[in-house]
Amino acid sequence: MKKIFISILIMLSAVAAISAQEVPSPYVSGEVAPVTDKQVTEYIIDYMKTPAEVKADLPAVLDLWAPWCGPCRRLSPIIDELAKEYAGRVAFYKVNVDDNQMTAMAFHAQSIPMLVFIPADGQLGAIQGLQSKETLTKIIDEYLLGK
C-alpha cells in the first residue's frame, strides 16, 4: 500500500493573477467541484506557504486531469461515485492541468491522472495513473479517514 503513495514536497511557486471566485462546495452534494489555481490556494491548500497550509474543512482529494487524457476520462466516473459515497466526509475537486499549470507544478504532476490526498492534518499523499475504485476506497478509508 505504501508503495503506491508518492511523498509530495511542496515547492514555492508564484500564482498567476486569476479573478477570485468562491470555491464550489462539494461537501453536501457529493459532487466533484472543478477549481482553479487561485481557488486551490485560497480554499483547499495554500502550497505557497512552507509547510503547506491546509485550508479545507474536510479531508480532500484533488484530481489533476486534462480533457484529452484517456485514463483521466476513465477515472472520472469512479471519482464521481466516490464523491457521492463520501459526501460530508471527504471533499473531491478537479483541477484541469491545462488551465491551471501552477497547481500541477506545485504538486510535481509529471503524468496524469494524478490524485493528491489532503488529510485534515499530516503529510500529503499522491498517486498517479488509473486506479480501481477498490484501491481508491482503501486509500481514502485508511489514509484520509484513519479507518
Side-chain angles (χ1 to χ4, degrees):
M1 184 70 187
K2 291 182 182 176
K3 290 183 181 179
I4 62 173
F5 282 106
I6 299 171
S7 182
I8 302 291
L9 295 175
I10 306 301
M11 296 179 58
L12 293 174
S13 60
V15 177
I18 299 172
S19 63
Q21 300 171 351
E22 191 168 323
V23 70
S25 178
Y27 300 145
V28 178
S29 66
E31 294 182 10
V32 181
V35 291
T36 65
D37 287 335
K38 185 80 169 165
Q39 291 169 322
V40 169
T41 59
E42 287 185 6
Y43 301 105
I44 303 166
I45 184 166
D46 187 351
Y47 50 76
M48 298 293 290
K49 293 186 178 181
T50 304
E53 178 185 346
V54 175
K55 295 188 168 200
D57 296 330
L58 296 175
V61 177
L62 285 181
D63 177 9
L64 305 181
W65 73 288
W68 49 263
C69 169
C72 299
R73 290 193 308 266
R74 291 197 307 273
L75 182 62
S76 186
I78 296 170
I79 298 299
D80 290 342
E81 286 177 35
L82 290 170
K84 286 179 180 39
E85 291 174 20
Y86 288 96
R89 297 181 291 158
V90 177
F92 289 80
Y93 301 97
K94 293 180 88 67
V95 179
N96 182 332
V97 298
D98 288 341
D99 297 336
N100 300 284
Q101 294 177 7
M102 296 307 295
T103 298
M105 288 175 19
F107 292 108
H108 306 285
Q110 295 181 359
S111 68
I112 53 174
M114 178 177 172
L115 300 176
V116 179
F117 300 95
I118 305 169
D121 56 6
Q123 188 171 354
L124 304 180
I127 190 169
Q128 293 181 341
L130 181 61
Q131 304 294 323
S132 69
K133 182 178 178 184
E134 294 75 25
T135 298
L136 296 176
T137 298
K138 186 173 182 175
I139 293 169
I140 292 166
D141 286 344
E142 293 177 6
Y143 190 70
L144 292 181
L145 299 178
K147 291 184 179 182

